[in-house]
Amino acid sequence: MIYLDYAAATPVRKEVLTAMQPYFTTIYANPSSLHHLGQEARLAVEEARSTIAVQLNCLPAEIIFTSGGTESINLALQGVTKGHIITSSIEHKAVLETCRMLQKKGYSVTYIQPNKQGLINPKDVGNAIRKNTRLISIMYANNEIGTIQPIQRIARIAKKHNILFHTDACQASPHLDLNVSKLDVDLLTLNSSKCYGPKGVGLLYLKKGVKLKPLIHGGAQEAGRRAGTENVPGIVGFSKALELAQKEKRETKRLTALRDWFISEIQRKINNVKLNGHKTKRLPGNINISFKGIDAQQLVQHLSSYGIYVSTGSACTSHEVEKSHVLENINAKEGVRISLGTSTTKRELQEVLTKLTMIVTALRKI
């Protein structure tokens, strides 16, 4: 098996699994319980919060644990929005569908178009600002084409106009700087499963002083901002995974070099291919590439038959293939997303290249 779909989900690291284990079988009490075992669980949650706060350079109280990126995004957009929203047309569906839902409720949303490389121009964001603009939400790095956005420049524009700025940083967590002071963001979303942590846990960074309306009602967990018993093993695992990921700068350099080598080899061995997204301003492990005359879904299925697991920019909904809104917005043909990770080796990619060349050649003859 050669797994090249790390942008969709990452395996849980052994160190992370080890850190989580006691909270499944030994310290399994409810962290809101007042007895000793409950307080041990509470301590684990708060230590994890503090560890993550160090990675983000924020206060522990500014972190709200959630069930994942989608919930965090919904909490950010629905929790602070009272007026006009500015976002981009290539955001994750969690942002786009939430904005569409808010539009049905009477909210106004402006969708900024990217250039052909998937970059958002900060000037376009500034030009879209209205008197009643309440929130700007632009993702840190795109989940399909890997393009890294000029978050700091957009944040400065938001701050100048006293507008809240949220960024979906789920794809950024394994490799990019998450220092919220440097990024100058008011809200930031992270997802554990994108940085070699467990699924089902995420967070929303909420800058001190920013008012938030809860999305889930019930108990007083997370300082009254997110009801529901905390996922103690998940939170502990998330903390460990993020801590390890943020320390591994060598891995970022390795994946960047491996990515660039693989792109050049694909372009050398196979003609009529196009790289989607920015050539250099992209995530270290992200490759999104279109092959002229080739159906991307079919290519993914053929690679899968050889035990090579990649994905497309498409999503399947109700058994129907939906075209990638990201690729449509940059005027690109359907593509294959190949995302590299900690286990990816050059030898594996050489094998993939051989199979990929063979499959594309065969499909073009049909």
Side-chain angles (χ1 to χ4, degrees), residues 25 41 46 49 58 90 95-96 99 105 127 157 177 182 197 201 206 235 246 289 300 323 330 344 364:
T25 57
E46 298 313 320
R49 198 188 308 274
C58 69
I90 58 170
V95 170
L96 295 178
C99 284
K105 291 186 174 183
N127 291 336
I157 292 170
D177 188 358
K182 288 183 181 178
V201 61
L206 180 73
I235 288 168
Q246 284 290 295
I289 199 158
V300 167
K323 290 188 70 175
I330 62 170
T344 308
R364 281 176 173 169

Side-chain angles (χ1 to χ4, degrees), residues 90-333:
I90 58 170
E91 297 294 306
H92 189 278
K93 283 294 184 73
V95 170
L96 295 178
E97 291 303 320
T98 303
C99 284
R100 287 170 187 145
M101 179 274 294
L102 289 171
Q103 282 181 289
K104 290 178 181 178
K105 291 186 174 183
Y107 291 84
S108 180
V109 181
T110 297
Y111 299 92
I112 306 297
Q113 294 294 317
N115 65 14
K116 290 183 179 180
Q117 295 175 317
L119 280 170
I120 299 298
N121 188 336
K123 290 183 179 179
D124 292 339
V125 176
N127 291 336
I129 292 173
R130 304 175 187 174
K131 288 183 179 179
N132 68 331
T133 302
R134 171 64 173 162
L135 179 71
I136 297 171
S137 183
I138 302 292
M139 68 198 323
Y140 197 165
N142 191 270
N143 55 303
E144 291 191 28
I145 58 175
T147 301
I148 300 170
Q149 302 297 348
I151 294 302
Q152 289 170 300
R153 290 173 61 194
I154 297 171
R156 284 196 292 269
I157 292 170
K159 194 170 186 178
K160 180 182 177 182
H161 294 272
N162 197 29
I163 297 167
L164 294 175
F165 181 44
H166 165 258
T167 188
D168 168 9
C170 290
Q171 292 289 333
S173 58
H175 305 294
L176 304 183
D177 188 358
L178 298 178
N179 186 323
V180 293
S181 294
K182 288 183 181 178
L183 295 175
D184 208 12
V185 296
D186 300 293
L187 303 101
L188 179 142
T189 289
L190 288 177
N191 186 348
S192 169
S193 66
K194 298 299 188 291
C195 61
Y196 304 89
K199 296 177 180 65
V201 61
L203 68 80
L204 177 67
Y205 157 74
L206 180 73
K207 189 174 184 178
K208 185 179 179 180
V210 176
K211 294 181 180 180
L212 183 81
K213 181 176 67 176
L215 188 66
I216 298 175
H217 300 276
Q221 291 90 350
E222 296 303 291
R225 299 170 299 187
R226 197 275 185 184
T229 301
E230 296 92 341
N231 176 1
V232 181
I235 288 168
V236 170
F238 185 12
S239 170
K240 187 65 174 179
L242 190 62
E243 181 183 27
L244 292 171
Q246 284 290 295
K247 287 180 178 178
E248 295 181 336
K249 303 303 178 187
R250 287 184 181 180
E251 178 64 5
T252 297
K253 291 180 180 178
R254 184 186 78 88
L255 287 179
T256 300
L258 205 55
R259 177 202 71 192
D260 292 344
W261 171 83
F262 194 46
I263 290 170
S264 65
E265 284 298 292
I266 291 173
Q267 293 172 330
R268 186 174 68 86
K269 292 283 185 74
I270 306 172
N271 56 24
N272 293 317
V273 299
K274 180 183 179 295
L275 179 68
N276 300 315
H278 198 280
K279 186 177 180 180
T280 56
K281 295 176 182 177
R282 69 186 304 130
L283 290 169
N286 180 284
I287 301 167
N288 190 302
I289 199 158
S290 298
F291 300 84
K292 187 177 180 180
I294 300 296
D295 180 270
Q297 291 282 339
Q298 196 174 9
L299 181 54
V300 167
Q301 290 168 1
H302 278 279
L303 286 168
S304 181
S305 69
Y306 287 101
I308 299 168
Y309 304 130
V310 301
S311 67
T312 67
S314 303
C316 293
T317 307
S318 299
H319 307 290
E320 292 182 6
V321 175
E322 181 182 304
K323 290 188 70 175
S324 163
H325 67 282
V326 175
L327 296 183
E328 281 188 325
N329 275 279
I330 62 170
N331 295 315
K333 302 292 183 183

Side-chain angles (χ1 to χ4, degrees), residues 10-27:
T10 56
V12 175
R13 297 177 61 144
K14 290 181 180 178
E15 305 98 314
V16 172
L17 195 57
T18 299
M20 294 172 66
Q21 195 65 44
Y23 302 96
F24 284 115
T25 57
T26 307
I27 311 170

Side-chain angles (χ1 to χ4, degrees), residues 30-42:
N30 190 316
S32 294
S33 296
L34 295 178
H35 53 67
H36 180 71
L37 199 62
Q39 289 309 294
E40 279 195 69
R42 168 56 55 196

